[in-house]
Amino acid sequence: TKVLENTLFGMGNPLLDISAVVDKDFLDKFGLKPNDQILAEDKHKALFEEIVKRSKVEYHAGGSTQNSVKIAQWMIQKPHKVATFFGCIGTDRFGEILKKKAEEAHVDAHYYEQNEEPTGTCAACITGDNRSLVANLAAANCYKKEKHLDLDSNWELVEKAKVYYIAGFFLTVSPESILKVAKHASDNNKIFCMNLSAPFISQFFKEPLMKVMPYVDILFGNETEAATFAKELGFETDDIAEIAKKTQNLPKDNAKRQRVVVFTQGKDDTVATVGRVTMFPVLDIDQNDIVDTNGAGDAFVGGFLSALVQEHALEECIRAGHYSANVIIRRVGCTFPEKPDFH
């Protein structure tokens, strides 16, 4: 099926990833776990100053939701601008890079630009096949519903879409923007997707997360996030299939669509509620071919969404997600070759 422009809508934190291979001493110095996502605190200021001085530092356009919609666009190829993206940046060099990169990826990015805060960054501290992410949201945290989302010209783009995706990370920025989009999707029987994103979201932003949950048609997450979510909700099980089932059965606003829950587990099977809970094995990959798992989860969602906007079956969406994740982990950052080789 030919997909129309602006069919897929994403909104989130546009960040510039600053990625470098570090050692355990570096992680210990800043109190980082090898595989985690956190928000930067004052004690991490020096981390950003140090990481840019590493020998092999790379800069890539990032931000979880933005990565996913870019991958979806890459998987679809044509037409351009199937994916729309909203988020806030600063009026600076990093902001210009993000604009240029979105354009190169053929994503229809409409940034809210302000000059109080600089464009957000994310330090990706790579050790082996682990990545510890420290996000300094800065400008990304300044997204304002009434200054951007509510403007007629922007809201028209929301109305044009059929599939919506917002990472849980954005709950820390503008829960009211998420709710407005989620309710629109639910009221119009469109598909609203969300991601648990990181353990800290379920732990410290549970209230806004659960306010949006009744509108969530498809929920993504990884095994760690699923376990934390289950603990926070008192599910009293650490069986991932059971967690998926219980999450599927949480209250839902639009009864026309049963909620779908998709939990990835790195190299282990992806768990999804396709009617009943089903396991989908990921593509085999030689450990030596894994360059960097940063962006694997975002890539999975991107591939999944590319099939979803083309109205493919759920199994097919998962297959597309596995393909794109497999491509991304062979490369540094959430980057991709010129064209996908997916059939």
Side-chain angles (χ1 to χ4, degrees), residues 240-308:
I240 193 146
E242 197 54 34
I243 295 172
K245 194 84 207 131
K246 285 191 168 193
T247 304
Q248 179 181 36
N249 293 329
L250 289 169
K252 182 118 182 6
D253 184 68
N254 175 14
K256 291 195 197 91
R257 295 184 186 276
Q258 189 182 26
R259 182 181 293 113
V260 173
V261 179
V262 184
F263 291 146
T264 56
Q265 310 187 80
K267 61 182 186 326
D268 296 325
D269 293 4
T270 294
V271 181
T273 57
V274 191
R276 55 191 186 80
V277 181
T278 314
M279 303 296 213
F280 296 87
V282 302
L283 295 165
D284 281 334
I285 184 167
D286 186 328
Q287 204 55 29
N288 300 321
D289 291 334
I290 300 177
V291 174
D292 160 9
T293 55
N294 184 21
D298 296 340
F300 172 81
V301 172
F304 186 104
L305 293 171
S306 71
L308 186 66

Side-chain angles (χ1 to χ4, degrees), residues 17-37:
D17 283 351
I18 305 170
S19 145
V21 173
V22 301
D23 48 25
K24 191 178 175 309
D25 290 345
F26 185 91
L27 296 182
D28 292 345
K29 180 175 178 180
F30 296 105
L32 303 177
K33 293 180 190 154
N35 215 20
D36 202 8
Q37 306 102 308

